[in-house]
Amino acid sequence: MSVESKKPREACCSKLKLFLASMAFVYFSKAFGGAYMKSSITQIERRFDIPSSLIGVIDGSFEMGNLLVIAFVSYFGAKLHRPRLIGIGCLIMAVGSYLIALPHFFQGQYKYETSVSHSTAINNTESILPCLSNNSQIDADETPDLEAQTACEKAAGSSMWIYVFLGNMLRGIGETPIMPLGVSYLDDFSREENTPFYLACIHTVGILGPMFGFMLGSFLAKIYVDVGSVDLDSITINYKDSRWVGAWWLGFIVTGTVVLLSSIPFWFLPKSLPKQGQEQSQSKSTELAPVAEQESFLPEENQDHEEKEKPVTFQEMAKDFVPSLRRLFKNRIYSMMILTYLVVVNGFIGMITFKPKFLEQIYGQSASKAIFLIGILNLPAVALGIITGGFILKRFKLGIIGAARVSIAASLGSFCMLAVQVFLHCDNSEVGGLTVTYQGAPHVSYDQQTLLSQCNMGCSCSMKHWDPVCAYNGITYASPCLAGCQSSSGTGKEMVFHNCTCVGEIMTPGMNRSTVLGQCPRKGDCDRIFKIYMALSVIGSFISACGGTPGYIVLLRSIQKDLKSLALGMQTLIVRTLGGIPPPIYFGALIDRTCLKWGTKQCGGRGACRLYDANAFRITFLGLITGLYFLANTLWGFLYFRIVKKQKKLALRNQAKENGQEGNNTGNGHANINIANNKEEMNKESTI
């Protein structure tokens, strides 16, 4: 008998563990793809020559896909086969990833912006005269013929970013079932005390996805976009150049394949499982016994909502949808949690989307190194923080108030780390005619006309092109022509420009007036400041992540069991809609306002930004994030006091009930004693 009673439990646990492992893998794969998308933002922006505001729209299309289906998937999916719906979602995500990579195979080769005709001939020396041979460059500043421009854009495939937009939207649609259906499935069939630890394990494995995603992005950012189809020796730029585009398309093929593999286990899982730790022979009342803390914390409602499971039709489910929403949002704690999450996600999404660009422009790091550092330093700190938060809950057996305390403490700690980062910065990159004058003095105001000076006035240079060269005086010039260079030598990346008249303006006679391709490295102690910034960023990431799991538990414990899937789905819908779509757009639009030098598209017109005002970028970016996190901390404070107030009310109510029961027992005490005495006498008589 004992052997038979163990079998159901073992089968249940094995299937639950299979689901747990499958959820961990799918969280890894979706985070892997999502992080790679974030790491490729800069590459996509450069490849399609689009501004940051438009790249924000493309990035937000993921949440737009969620918006289309999340409410229906969360509500109706909870009553259908949840594991299979997750499997279908993974298939859709894979198709979306492949669609994003598609434009690469239909576009022509990438032609980066340049102001001179770079020759790769071995015997070609002293053949390029940047200043004297650029009399025709002034024509490039004129507006091209509309018909010719349309034909050029069609040939260049400049509107192919639409495929990236649609593919990312498909990824958002496919990701929809994973969180609300997966978490509710796990919470329904696992022991209540194990749920925080299971969630922490899933999220910890999931955080490995962004690590690998950013590392893959860093690796592919160093590989030229048209690798295998062009002669790399003919490329005059390197991966540190703001015009460089890495092999962004290759990563989406890899991430799509991983997501496709993660869908397989879900086709073999059942629709439901017995509650973990309960035998099938237990009574129905035991199986449906709710957790004391959650039931006592929830608003008192009629028990009609706890109905016996029975087959329901689609019409019945649809009819109950609006009343369920009304019940859900009458829960004030749930509504405040959603508002708090909304503000936090606004700051987080804006930060993670443009942080690689921030590290490039403020601290002079390459796109590849910026992505790599985020993946290798920040994300492991986040993983450690998530598992630490889950461990604290399990180790100290914290209730909803304890979980709220951990969350608000973590939120305050991370805000302090962020506030300090605002005051850390490097000086602007010294670019002649943009951030400094040609005499080396800082610019008070920035104007396109300041690119022209007496030293390059006779060269008829184009002011639109960005083909930077670095002089030995440490100043970067927008092009060899604008540097006033009279001749050149060498080929490819080794090309050197000589007799640059603008360089000579701030150098003593007889010194080197040559320039080399590329921007100059940052001056001063920028590397030391960058290390301090990264240390604060990593500590802040760890502290912030410690509050992730406790905050999620506060959300789960504040909603009714039958509304759990709907509540998680609505949370995802609202947070993704208002916290996922707008931030990349308004962050990108505000960042665009700090641009000093715009690139030029192949067919004319404004392309991607090549150089930003570092101080304006820093104040705009970090100031906006800090403001959002300050608001989130304020909301957490109000939420905590509401939770404590409600808990006190429940404690007083329970105490009143206990006092009432004690009073009844005292009033009936004499009768109880008489009954007990009579029973004892009867027992004695029977033994005699």
Side-chain angles (χ1 to χ4, degrees), residues 155-211:
S158 57
S159 61
M160 302 269 304
W161 59 265
I162 293 291
Y163 288 93
V164 182
F165 177 88
L166 294 175
N168 203 34
M169 183 178 285
L170 273 181
R171 287 184 58 251
I173 292 172
E175 194 259 2
T176 305
I178 294 172
M179 194 281 289
L181 302 189
V183 172
S184 62
Y185 188 92
L186 184 69
D187 194 47
D188 285 346
F189 304 121
S190 64
R191 284 194 187 96
E192 202 70 28
E193 64 269 19
N194 289 340
T195 302
F197 184 70
Y198 286 162
L199 288 175
C201 289
I202 288 174
H203 283 95
T204 303
V205 174
I207 206 67
L208 295 175
M211 286 174 58

Side-chain angles (χ1 to χ4, degrees), residues 387-409:
I387 196 70
T388 302
F391 175 77
I392 290 171
L393 286 182
K394 189 173 176 65
R395 173 67 178 81
F396 298 101
K397 298 180 180 179
L398 299 179
I400 189 167
I401 291 182
R405 284 173 180 166
V406 174
S407 292
I408 196 170

Side-chain angles (χ1 to χ4, degrees), residues 110 112 120 224 230-238 244 492-493:
Y110 173 58
Y112 54 88
T120 58
Y224 191 63
V230 296
D231 179 14
L232 296 180
D233 292 332
S234 66
I235 307 300
T236 60
I237 58 176
N238 59 29
W244 175 273
K493 296 184 181 70

Side-chain angles (χ1 to χ4, degrees), residues 422 617-628:
V422 177
F617 191 145
R618 173 180 57 85
I619 293 169
T620 301
F621 182 71
L622 289 181
L624 191 55
I625 296 170
T626 305
L628 288 168

Side-chain angles (χ1 to χ4, degrees), residues 3 5 41 129 176 339 408 422 443-444 472 480 559 643 663:
V3 175
S5 63
I41 287 294
L129 308 176
T176 305
L339 185 59
I408 196 170
V422 177
H443 258 306
V444 178
Y472 288 94
I559 50 183
I643 290 172

Side-chain angles (χ1 to χ4, degrees), residues 622-635:
L622 289 181
L624 191 55
I625 296 170
T626 305
L628 288 168
Y629 273 68
F630 176 79
L631 179 58
N633 276 283
T634 305
L635 290 171

